[in-house]
Amino acid sequence: MLGVGRSSQAAPVRGWYRRIRLRPHTAPMALTTELPSSGYAAMPWRNGAGVTREIAIDDAPGAAAPFRWRLSMADLAGDGPFSELPDIDRVLLLLAGDQVALAIDGAAPAPLGRHEAIRFPGDVPTYLTMAPGSGRDLNLMWDRTRAAGSMVVVTGARDVDAPIAFAVALGGPASVTLDGEAFALGEQDALRIDGGGALVVTAGEIALAEVT
C-alpha cells in the first residue's frame, strides 16, 4: 500500500463560500473555501460504468492529460475496469465498500480497507472487485508532468506546506482549525486551503489531499 499515512499531529473553484485570511507580519494572504458535499458536481465516468462527484479541478489540459489535477469522489456499484487516463498518477482512498480490491497493471489484487489508500498510475489497466453492494472512494489525480500529489489521514495537528490542499471529513462530521480559525465540516464536506497553514483536527478525522 502506498500513499497513505496517519498523523496525530488557485485553480478554479466552482462557487461556494470563501473566507479571506490575512496572515500576520509579512506572510502572504491565504484563502480558504468551504465546499459542502451537496455542491459537488456529478458526472458519468469516461467508461460509463459509474458516477464521479467532482470536488475541485484545475482543468488546464496538458500534452496528454485531460487536467492538471482533480479531487473527486466516485460511487462504486460493483466489479469493473477503471478508465485509463494518460500521464495521470492518482491516490484512491476507500470511504465505503466491502471486500474492495484493485488489480493494477496485471498484479495480484491489492485489498483495500475503509479509510486506507493506494497510489498507482492512472494510465495502466486497473480492475476493481468488491462484495455485492455499493461503495464510495475519494480520488486525487494529477498530471505527473506538471504536478505532484499526496493524501494522508489526519486526526490531530499537521502543518500544511503545499500551495493547494483540501481537508475532507471522513466517516462523519469533523471540526478543524487553520491558524486558529475554526471550521465545522459535515461528513464528506471539504475545506480548500490555498497558501498552507497550521491545521488541527479537533474532532473526527479528515483526509488531507495536497497538490504541488
Side-chain angles (χ1 to χ4, degrees):
M1 290 289 185
L2 299 175
V4 66
R6 290 182 180 267
S7 173
S8 61
Q9 318 247 270
V13 175
R14 292 184 168 89
W16 301 306
Y17 178 66
R18 293 184 171 185
R19 296 185 190 178
I20 301 295
R21 280 187 300 114
L22 293 177
R23 297 283 186 82
H25 309 302
T26 59
M29 182 176 67
L31 177 71
T32 56
T33 309
E34 296 181 59
L35 307 175
S37 59
S38 60
Y40 300 163
M43 56 195 69
W45 291 2
R46 288 181 57 180
N47 63 11
V51 175
T52 287
R53 287 171 170 76
E54 186 175 276
I55 300 172
I57 188 171
D58 179 340
D59 57 6
F67 46 75
R68 181 171 177 267
W69 59 260
R70 186 176 78 167
L71 182 68
S72 62
M73 293 180 180
D75 291 337
L76 308 175
D79 299 355
F82 281 14
S83 299
E84 294 180 33
L85 302 171
D87 284 350
I88 293 294
D89 283 337
R90 63 192 295 177
V91 176
L92 180 153
L93 184 144
L94 184 66
L95 299 174
D98 296 325
Q99 300 177 35
V100 174
L102 290 181
I104 301 166
D105 201 19
L112 201 60
R114 181 173 177 268
H115 296 177
E116 290 183 347
I118 187 168
R119 177 173 175 163
F120 59 98
D123 49 7
V124 300
T126 301
Y127 194 87
L128 178 140
T129 59
M130 61 183 294
S134 61
R136 180 170 288 188
D137 60 36
L138 177 66
N139 290 275
L140 176 64
M141 297 186 281
W142 62 92
D143 179 351
R144 69 173 69 94
T145 70
R146 297 182 291 159
S150 65
M151 192 183 300
V152 61
V153 176
V154 180
T155 57
R158 186 178 180 92
D159 287 336
V160 178
D161 298 319
I164 303 170
F166 297 85
V168 182
L170 300 177
S175 298
V176 304
T177 64
L178 184 72
D179 293 340
E181 183 176 4
F183 299 87
L185 304 176
E187 183 175 11
Q188 299 182 0
D189 289 354
L191 176 70
R192 175 168 173 161
I193 303 164
D194 289 273
L199 179 71
V200 180
V201 181
T202 56
E205 64 180 349
I206 64 158
L208 178 65
E210 297 183 279
V211 182
T212 57

